Amino acid sequence: MKEYCAVFGVYGHKQATYLTYLGLFSLQHRGQESSGIAIYKDGKLEVYKGLGLVSQVFNKQILDYLQGEIAIGHNRYSTAGDKDLKNAQPIVFQDIAIVHNGNLRNYEELKNLCASLNISLETTTDSEVILKLYAYYKNKYKNIKKALIETFKHLKGAFSVIILDKNTMIVARDKWGFRPLVMGEKDGAYIFASETCALNVLDAKFIREVKEGEVIILNKDKIENFLYDKPQKRACIFELIYFARPDSFIFGRNVYDVRENMGRILARESYIDADVVVPIPDSGVISALGFSRESKIPFEWGLLRSHYMGRSFINPTQELRDLAVRLKLSPIKSVLNGKRVVLIDDSLVRGTTAKRIINMVRKAGAKEVHLRISSPPIKHPCFYGIDTPTYEELIASKLKTQEIAKLIGADSLAYLSIDGLLKACNANKDEFCLACFNGDYIV
Ligand code: SF4
């Protein structure tokens, strides 16, 4: 499961470009394929974007050239559209730039709408459709607010967007609030970001989250906000399980606290007598702490993760792919040898990685290996901006829990229940999207 895209924006700061650069750095976990910044200065829109990490795309010369007081930025990992530079964001049309996190469910329908309005599309991204519909309706109505309402009412699915239209910045979140979007302040300037970790890094003050269905228009005269439609809260619960950084506050919750709760409730629901609780790093670490505290089984770092393997690592054969797992994760034999181990991870998707890790832990001398997952079984794909495999590839959509345990070589396997997950988030069932667990797609 991969998250796709981070958005960031600064309105009214002399260092807007550098703040955006730093913000994108702290949001790198949300997308690593491409990065870009757009600014508006001296009556002109300037954009720079490239393929790769933030550190690979930008250098001092580029950032110095891009200086301006209003800036938007984006990190992308494609969910909709191809992985080439033309799909990198910000996307620009008629001196308007957009950055978008999320995925629209009705892209085909929107493409037809564009065709019927004689709007031509140059990329294969749903983000371009939002931009071009907005430009079309703005030209038609000569009124930004009316253009935005007209645009957003056609969109079904997830969008947290920031639009830069000359001196005006527009920030909006879909009425379901699938993806997070927060608002902060620094030196009197407004900052918008996918997660609060980007505010923390700038020492900016958190003001609040952008509400479901809210649109904020900022220009030099005033700030205006309104709802484009009635909110129907369905935040993506996977943001709390895995995608968001643990030092972020999103959907009214501290991500760290929620993950610790998940581990505690998982321990209550599926306790097993064992000698050590070992996280699969980094994703399982906080839940493993919760599991250990609740079960009173000692927490140990039985697996060490290398942080130096980039995404470009090439695995030419299956045999080398197995070895590559060892490069990424290495067992600590003195912790595992002769022990009954509870391994903790945040999710189980295809089961292939878990199988390799369990094998590795056994080879390191573990007597028993029990796998505990701090989320429910993923049985359905996501259509709202998360790259999930197909039904065919999702192991929990094909096999029962005991069958999976056997296949991956675990002595036992248990997941957090949906009720346990909601309890860990202190939420009711209508507050979050749970579609990848229960198939209940609201859009
Ligand atoms: S289907 Fe799953 S991953 Fe997708 S938005 Fe809903 S909870 Fe998130």
Side-chain angles (χ1 to χ4, degrees), residues 76 78-84 86-89 91 98 100 103-104 107 111 121-131:
R76 172 177 162 82
S78 56
T79 35
D82 302 329
K83 297 173 184 172
D84 62 26
K86 79 173 188 308
N87 286 333
Q89 298 192 22
I91 294 177
I98 190 170
H100 169 211
N103 209 5
L104 298 179
Y107 179 60
K111 260 185 7 186
L121 299 173
E122 278 146 41
T123 72
T124 50
T125 69
D126 46 3
S127 317
E128 185 194 6
V129 175
I130 307 176
L131 173 65

Side-chain angles (χ1 to χ4, degrees), residues 238 241-242 259 262-263 266 277-289 291 303 305 329 342-355 357-358 370-376 408 413-416:
F238 238 98
I241 295 169
Y242 172 65
R259 287 186 193 161
M262 288 171 185
L266 181 63
V277 172
V278 171
I280 296 182
D282 293 325
S283 48
V285 172
I286 301 164
S287 304
L289 272 172
F291 193 105
L303 292 163
R305 183 180 163 191
L329 279 182
V342 186
L343 270 183
I344 310 280
D345 206 356
D346 66 299
S347 54
L348 190 64
V349 184
R350 292 181 176 86
T352 43
T353 307
K355 188 174 178 179
I357 294 171
I358 290 167
H370 303 275
L371 183 61
R372 295 292 178 268
I373 303 292
S374 61
S375 66
I408 62 179
L413 165 68
Y415 297 88
L416 184 64

Side-chain angles (χ1 to χ4, degrees), residues 1 158 178-179 234-239 241 243 378 380-388 432-437 439-441:
M1 302 268 279
F178 282 109
R179 302 282 144 234
R234 279 297 194 282
C236 169
I237 207 155
F238 238 98
E239 293 277 355
I241 295 169
F243 299 124
I378 302 168
H380 308 269
C382 172
F383 301 106
Y384 310 126
I386 302 301
D387 188 22
T388 41
F432 283 99
C433 174
L434 299 163
C436 48
F437 306 126
D440 181 10
Y441 296 100

Side-chain angles (χ1 to χ4, degrees), residues 104-111 154-157:
L104 298 179
R105 194 70 190 90
N106 61 333
Y107 179 60
E108 288 304 316
E109 191 183 306
L110 292 168
K111 260 185 7 186
H154 290 293
L155 311 181
K156 292 183 188 140

Side-chain angles (χ1 to χ4, degrees), residues 249-305:
F249 176 89
I250 56 161
F251 307 151
R253 290 149 176 95
N254 287 310
V255 176
Y256 185 99
D257 296 350
V258 170
R259 287 186 193 161
E260 211 254 3
N261 281 344
M262 288 171 185
R264 283 186 181 272
I265 296 170
L266 181 63
R268 273 180 245 149
E269 288 184 347
S270 59
Y271 176 84
I272 185 106
D273 204 15
D275 303 311
V276 281
V277 172
V278 171
I280 296 182
D282 293 325
S283 48
V285 172
I286 301 164
S287 304
L289 272 172
F291 193 105
S292 163
R293 284 169 184 156
E294 192 68 23
S295 64
K296 309 279 187 279
I297 301 169
F299 173 101
E300 293 283 355
W301 288 96
L303 292 163
L304 199 76
R305 183 180 163 191

Side-chain angles (χ1 to χ4, degrees), residues 145-319:
K145 186 172 170 183
K146 207 166 168 199
L148 290 166
I149 294 173
E150 196 61 32
T151 302
F152 293 151
K153 83 173 191 199
H154 290 293
L155 311 181
K156 292 183 188 140
F159 62 92
S160 283
V161 292
I162 309 180
I163 296 171
L164 182 55
D165 184 355
K166 302 194 172 63
N167 279 321
T168 300
M169 181 181 272
I170 298 151
V171 182
R173 193 167 165 222
D174 63 77
K175 64 177 175 178
W176 300 276
F178 282 109
R179 302 282 144 234
L181 189 58
V182 301
M183 179 178 178
E185 182 264 333
K186 182 177 174 65
D187 307 330
Y190 286 99
I191 317 270
F192 296 90
S194 292
E195 294 178 34
T196 57
C197 63
L199 302 180
N200 301 344
V201 88
L202 305 180
D203 205 17
K205 194 175 119 204
F206 170 66
I207 301 177
R208 66 173 172 86
E209 298 186 62
V210 177
K211 295 181 193 131
E212 298 82 2
E214 184 178 11
V215 182
I216 305 172
I217 304 176
L218 303 98
N219 60 39
K220 63 180 182 344
D221 304 320
K222 61 175 182 186
I223 299 177
E224 185 186 0
N225 71 324
F226 59 92
L227 294 179
Y228 76 88
D229 201 353
K230 201 168 154 236
Q232 298 179 31
K233 268 192 174 187
R234 279 297 194 282
C236 169
I237 207 155
F238 238 98
E239 293 277 355
L240 292 169
I241 295 169
Y242 172 65
F243 299 124
R245 254 176 48 165
D247 54 340
S248 283
F249 176 89
I250 56 161
F251 307 151
R253 290 149 176 95
N254 287 310
V255 176
Y256 185 99
D257 296 350
V258 170
R259 287 186 193 161
E260 211 254 3
N261 281 344
M262 288 171 185
R264 283 186 181 272
I265 296 170
L266 181 63
R268 273 180 245 149
E269 288 184 347
S270 59
Y271 176 84
I272 185 106
D273 204 15
D275 303 311
V276 281
V277 172
V278 171
I280 296 182
D282 293 325
S283 48
V285 172
I286 301 164
S287 304
L289 272 172
F291 193 105
S292 163
R293 284 169 184 156
E294 192 68 23
S295 64
K296 309 279 187 279
I297 301 169
F299 173 101
E300 293 283 355
W301 288 96
L303 292 163
L304 199 76
R305 183 180 163 191
S306 163
H307 290 95
Y308 303 106
M309 269 184 75
R311 296 174 55 86
S312 54
F313 191 82
I314 300 159
N315 300 308
T317 65
Q318 184 59 43
E319 192 190 350

